[in-house]
Amino acid sequence: MQSAPAATSSSAAYGARAPRQQLWVEEPATRRRMPDPVRVSAVRAVLIMSLTIIQAMVAFLCTLAGSWLAFPMVLSGVGSTVVATWSVLDVWITRQVWNQRNGVVSVPSSSARQLRRERRRARRAARAAQRDEARIRRRGAENLSRA
């Protein structure tokens, strides 16, 4: 009979393992950061929306409990829903105003950029052709005057 293989030391077993990956790996952002005014209005909208949802839950629980606070909470919930809707619209309006004032950042794969590039190449080729033609005319005119 064969005997069981001898147990290896614990340090040799650790050396045979593959190296561990880092716990936290930095990855580049896929999107650009929002402009400051848009971010401020978005944070404000999130806070207002969360308070509105909390207020709606309190109003619902007060209604179930039959508390006197149920009616005022429902009325204020309707008001805060209007305010929350406005805050979400404020994010959209602020974003549109920012894009209108500061321009939209062009993406390298943009079709508009490609069209501009093609037009630029065509203009350069046309100018080069005009220069060559003018150069040929000048040479021809110089040869005629010498003759």
Side-chain angles (χ1 to χ4, degrees):
M1 279 196 148
Q2 291 182 348
S3 63
T8 59
S9 67
S10 61
S11 62
Y14 285 119
R17 285 189 187 175
R20 283 185 157 184
Q21 290 183 350
Q22 290 181 342
L23 182 63
W24 187 267
V25 178
E26 291 285 334
E27 293 181 4
T30 55
R31 275 201 250 174
R32 298 189 68 157
R33 182 174 157 169
M34 276 194 292
D36 287 339
V38 179
R39 194 165 359 106
V40 166
S41 64
V43 168
R44 185 172 47 236
V46 167
L47 290 174
I48 290 172
M49 288 292 294
S50 62
L51 289 175
T52 302
I53 291 171
I54 291 170
Q55 190 174 15
M57 277 302 297
V58 170
F60 177 72
L61 293 175
C62 286
T63 303
L64 287 180
S67 172
W68 63 271
L69 198 58
F71 183 69
M73 287 299 289
V74 168
L75 286 181
S76 66
V78 170
S80 63
T81 302
V82 171
V83 172
T85 304
W86 173 250
S87 69
V88 171
L89 282 174
D90 181 47
V91 174
W92 182 71
I93 292 168
T94 307
R95 185 170 173 266
Q96 294 298 324
V97 168
W98 176 266
N99 285 340
Q100 195 172 26
R101 287 184 183 164
N102 300 303
V104 180
V105 177
S106 181
V107 179
S109 63
S110 167
S111 59
R113 180 179 281 187
Q114 183 66 28
L115 288 173
R116 282 195 309 262
R117 195 175 292 142
E118 290 172 5
R119 281 192 225 124
R120 211 177 300 130
R121 284 181 189 146
R123 279 194 304 252
R124 286 179 188 156
R127 274 185 273 163
Q130 285 176 349
R131 279 194 304 263
D132 291 343
E133 191 176 313
R135 203 176 301 139
I136 292 171
R137 284 186 191 153
R138 277 183 285 174
R139 285 184 191 161
E142 290 172 3
N143 290 339
L144 288 176
S145 63
R146 288 183 191 167

